[in-house]
Amino acid sequence: MPLLSQSLPSQPRCLPFSRAKRRTPLVQPLSHTTAIKRHGLSVCLASSNSHSMASNLVELPIFPLPLVLFPGAMLPLQIFEFRYRIMMHTLLQTDLRFGVLFSNPMPSSTDPSSGTVEVGCVAEVVKHQRLVDDRFFLICKGQERFRISHTLQTKPYMVAAVTWLEDRPPPDPKQGDDLENLASEVEGHMKDVIRLSNRLEGKKQDSQKADVDLRKGQFPTPFSFFVASTFEGAPREQQVLLELEDTAARLKRERDTLKSTLNYLTAASAVKDAFPSSP
């Protein structure tokens, strides 16, 4: 059961980083021709709607990782593998953006899926440091979601043609109030989970932080991504949340997950009260 992470990943050492500067974009719209040629690889679109298809696609370098990145989330990375060092040299001269795609590195009998998925999130490099051995330390921020249409190249690193993915607007404007109520309900469950988690870990509750503002003025959609980013240790559930194109559905699923976590923590807290000497 995923438990709530109470903090963002720690930043890598060896700071300060040099600030990233945007240059000529690498994330390019694909050619409006039937045969698309990028990076020395020709990809043919056989459909009669090939021109309209191509106009909706953009080219994006892909970095498979054993994690799920969400819009607005911060991601510290250390780049040491040769092919991704090559990618970084290109990015630092271009757009400083690449796609993060969840990849399961160790399939199991209960979760046999392997390889990558089709929906990921763009990571934009906001700070970087290059070391003398050509490794890189990065601080990235999640931006747009994308869906892979097809692969353009696999070596030395993956480049794909992608389309952008956005949540569908509610058909009824009145549903905006429902989204606000859902977001407030989710925030309340998050606070309860944090409170019980701290109690079980023996942390003293700071009265000034007891009613912390978790939303920080966020609208329901970005808040739903923030909540999903805290479900560390459950990447498959995070991937499902990333792929949803409905803010209300995402918030409802998060609410149910938090309620289940809260029930578990409440039971664990009751056991601890009944048996104070128990670990």
Side-chain angles (χ1 to χ4, degrees):
M1 177 167 308
L3 297 181
L4 191 67
S5 167
Q6 299 178 39
S7 62
L8 291 173
S10 60
Q11 293 185 355
R13 298 179 180 177
C14 302
L15 297 176
F17 294 89
S18 58
R19 288 196 173 275
K21 296 181 180 179
R22 185 178 298 278
R23 300 179 179 85
T24 305
L26 177 65
V27 184
Q28 301 276 7
L30 292 178
S31 171
H32 288 212
T33 59
T34 304
I36 300 171
K37 191 171 184 180
R38 280 289 188 273
H39 302 280
L41 179 65
S42 179
V43 179
C44 295
L45 300 177
S47 168
S48 59
N49 297 322
S50 59
H51 289 260
S52 60
M53 286 176 61
S55 64
N56 293 326
L57 297 177
V58 293
E59 177 184 313
L60 187 67
I62 302 296
F63 195 169
L65 288 170
L67 55 85
V68 179
L69 179 64
F70 288 91
M74 303 304 293
L75 176 65
L77 284 176
Q78 179 182 179
I79 307 296
F80 56 87
E81 191 174 346
F82 179 70
R83 55 180 169 167
Y84 295 117
R85 297 205 310 262
I86 295 176
M87 183 180 78
M88 279 309 306
H89 282 287
T90 303
L91 291 178
L92 291 177
Q93 298 300 320
T94 54
D95 197 2
L96 294 166
R97 300 201 302 168
F98 58 94
V100 172
L101 210 61
F102 170 65
S103 177
N104 186 6
M106 298 180 62
S108 64
S109 57
T110 57
D111 185 12
S113 56
S114 61
T116 56
V117 293
E118 293 183 351
V119 173
C121 181
V122 171
E124 181 172 15
V125 179
V126 294
K127 292 183 181 180
H128 74 277
Q129 182 183 33
R130 180 179 173 184
L131 303 183
V132 292
D133 59 0
D134 211 29
R135 286 182 297 128
F136 289 89
F137 284 123
L138 311 176
I139 295 292
C140 307
K141 184 175 183 179
Q143 301 293 347
E144 305 93 333
R145 291 179 296 162
F146 64 86
R147 184 185 300 277
I148 289 182
S149 173
H150 54 271
T151 301
L152 297 175
Q153 73 174 44
T154 58
K155 295 179 180 180
Y157 53 86
M158 181 178 175
V159 176
V162 307
T163 56
W164 303 126
L165 188 67
E166 297 181 355
D167 276 8
R168 296 184 295 268
D172 186 352
K174 295 180 180 179
Q175 289 184 356
D177 294 334
D178 295 336
L179 288 179
E180 283 294 331
N181 293 334
L182 268 174
S184 297
E185 189 177 357
V186 169
E187 183 184 22
H189 289 318
M190 286 184 71
K191 291 179 179 179
D192 290 339
V193 168
I194 292 173
R195 175 178 54 81
L196 277 178
S197 296
N198 289 337
R199 184 184 178 199
L200 285 169
E201 294 174 5
K203 296 180 180 178
K204 293 183 179 180
Q205 184 71 26
D206 189 337
S207 59
Q208 295 182 348
K209 297 181 180 179
D211 195 29
V212 64
D213 180 11
L214 297 175
R215 283 189 66 178
K216 298 180 180 179
Q218 290 181 325
F219 289 110
T221 299
F223 178 65
S224 71
F225 291 134
F226 164 72
V227 175
S229 71
T230 66
F231 290 178
E232 293 182 1
R236 282 293 166 192
E237 175 63 19
Q238 288 184 310
Q239 183 64 33
V240 171
L241 294 170
L242 184 72
E243 294 183 9
L244 287 175
E245 299 177 58
D246 186 309
T247 301
R250 188 180 302 108
L251 286 169
K252 288 177 181 178
R253 189 172 181 115
E254 291 166 347
R255 177 193 60 189
D256 294 343
T257 298
L258 289 167
K259 288 173 68 174
S260 297
T261 302
L262 190 57
N263 290 338
Y264 168 81
L265 293 175
T266 301
S269 181
V271 170
K272 185 174 182 178
D273 291 341
F275 304 96
S277 59
S278 300

